[in-house]
Amino acid sequence: MAKKEELDEETLALIHWCIEVEGFLVAGGATQKQAQDHIEEQVEWFTHQFYDGLTPEEAAKEALA
């Protein structure tokens, strides 16, 4: 049985942040699939927003603008 790869705290924080962004994108009118696809397609942009200190809600508003 392979040991699961452990993620560092920063990576986990980014993943949880993206999950929150997804919720705001859905609240803004996207389907869950559209929100997930958009985050995956724009992962570099979202990662920059995370490190720039935007809240998930702010990042979602920027993405929906």
Side-chain angles (χ1 to χ4, degrees):
M1 199 175 209
K3 182 181 172 191
K4 283 187 178 178
E5 184 179 330
E6 295 207 12
L7 300 173
D8 61 70
E9 285 186 31
E10 196 169 33
T11 302
L12 286 172
L14 175 60
I15 291 168
H16 289 289
W17 184 87
C18 285
I19 291 168
E20 287 188 54
V21 171
E22 179 185 318
F24 286 110
L25 291 173
V26 170
T31 66
Q32 188 168 10
K33 173 109 174 80
Q34 288 171 327
Q36 289 172 350
D37 288 349
H38 184 67
I39 291 170
E40 286 176 21
E41 290 165 8
Q42 301 295 324
V43 70
E44 193 171 303
W45 183 85
F46 281 104
T47 301
H48 286 294
Q49 304 312 306
F50 173 78
Y51 285 111
D52 285 348
L54 267 69
T55 67
E57 185 174 18
E58 290 168 336
K61 283 182 182 175
E62 288 290 319
L64 290 169

